[in-house]
Amino acid sequence: MSSDLYHIKQQFTLGRLGAYKALVKEALPDENSPDYHAALLYKARSFIALNEPVSALELIPEGSENVALKAVASLARYVAASGSEQAEAALEELRDLSVEIEGDDIEGDDKDKALVRVLAGTAFARAGEVEEALETLGTETEDLEAVAVIVQIYLSINRSDLAKKQFDRSKRWAEDDLLLQLIESTIGLATGKDNYANTASFYTEQLGNPSLTSPHLLTARGVTRILRGEIQEAKSDLEESLEQQKGDAEAEAAYVVAAGLGALKKSEAEELWTKLAAEHPSHPYVQDVLQKADLFTQSAAAFSVPPPASVSA
């Protein structure tokens, strides 16, 4: 692997921390370069992760028979689908490709085949087809990208024990690379192991990475610091994140939590909550708080408060 392609791979691995935006801005190598195919796949997948599936489709050469490029196009069509029929059609394309790669008469190498499984498994998981996703990815796989998706699936269904089992298994054969560290930190964030020490160290280390400057990374460390009870330190990270990317829903939500835990005065925390609920009504945190408020109101309505006892003279 060339140094340029290694850099692209690292950027893609750190994409969830904000590096996708930097990656899509980078020019692709010359079409005759041995790095071109892999770089094209990383860039197209970054566009999909940024919810820009049309841009991903525009990158993919028309008429390409390479199975990995076809899978990326299918995933992009799934993400872009405006209705259930279009979404199901894209899923069927990925199912067909998952079968096709079992044969020998295809265009693509072993890495391309592995990527088809990762992309198909990702789409199935997004569609709520958890069993199909896990079967496609293969829980005994030795492809680290597939393991990363499997871990995310297990964490999403509250099976951190199975997620940890996948990580422990992968340590026996995977190199100690950035993706393996990211998997470990993700599990740590979900389980709270050792007071989130590993996760906090990972984010702090990446903040010192000169190739990655991201407000999302500051937000991630801010959230970790909230979980560690380091409220003022979290406040500092989140304020810096919001300075770099104003209006970011994740950073604002985390800032509201920090404010409510004592980082700001009660009146300021309430004002921030009102602003978040108005500007990001569909955010999971806002939805969760509102649902709990409704549940409290319903529960309270089931009880009647007796009149105060009168005191006889």
Side-chain angles (χ1 to χ4, degrees), residues 12 43 55 60 114 192 195 203 216 232 235 247 257 271 277 294 299:
F12 183 81
K43 188 167 184 175
S55 296
I60 300 170
N195 192 29
Y203 290 141
H216 296 287
Q232 291 303 321
K235 173 176 175 287
V257 173
E271 183 179 342
D294 287 342
S299 299

Side-chain angles (χ1 to χ4, degrees), residues 123-146:
F124 299 151
R126 288 183 61 152
E129 303 292 343
V130 172
E131 290 185 9
E132 185 175 16
L134 292 173
E135 182 179 351
T136 301
L137 292 161
T139 53
E140 296 301 318
T141 179
E142 292 193 2
D143 178 68
L144 199 55
E145 272 208 78

